[in-house]
Each structure stands twice: as C-alpha cells, then as structure tokens.
Amino acid sequence: MNKKWAIKRITINLASVESEKLERYCAMTGRPATDVIRQLIRSLSITELSASEQTTPTLKYDVPILK
C-alpha cells in the first residue's frame, strides 16, 4: 500500500515533565512520538461557532491524558 502524505513539519515546546511523560509512554508502548502525537491530534473534536460568534476558530480538546 503506497500512501502519499502531505507533510507539514511542526515544532512544539514541551516542559521537561511533558517531554518525560511522552518519552515514558513511547517506551511503554513501543510507539514513536510522531505516531502518538498524530493519534492525539486525530482524536481532537472541533466545535464550530455560529457566524456571529466566530472571530477565530475554536477547538474543543478531548485529548486523553497520558499517565
């Protein structure tokens, strides 16, 4: 299966605690950070506002907490 990906690189700044948590989760699951972050992004739900309320896009984050 040959998938073509439209790639956009992003850089995120994490606190050391957040970075350590991500590293531990990746080590526990054997998954790369890119896959974990991509899954978290895909799980986001977007709440749309009416045209009169909308000044900037609003996102509702339903992200599971990594423990």
Side-chain angles (χ1 to χ4, degrees):
M1 183 173 171
N2 186 9
K3 281 189 175 180
K4 291 185 180 180
W5 290 81
I7 296 176
K8 179 173 181 163
R9 287 195 184 271
I10 62 169
T11 301
I12 60 170
N13 297 317
L14 299 174
S16 59
V17 172
E18 295 165 334
S19 177
E20 290 167 10
K21 184 179 259 188
L22 179 60
E23 289 173 11
R24 282 195 320 264
Y25 183 83
C26 291
M28 288 172 36
T29 62
R31 297 173 59 206
T34 301
D35 289 350
V36 172
I37 293 167
R38 192 177 291 127
Q39 179 186 11
L40 290 169
I41 291 170
R42 288 177 182 152
S43 72
L44 297 175
S45 64
I46 299 174
T47 303
E48 294 185 27
L49 299 175
S50 67
S52 63
E53 297 174 307
Q54 193 169 13
T55 55
T56 57
T58 302
L59 298 177
K60 177 183 174 191
Y61 296 99
D62 293 328
V63 180
I65 298 173
L66 304 177
K67 292 185 179 181

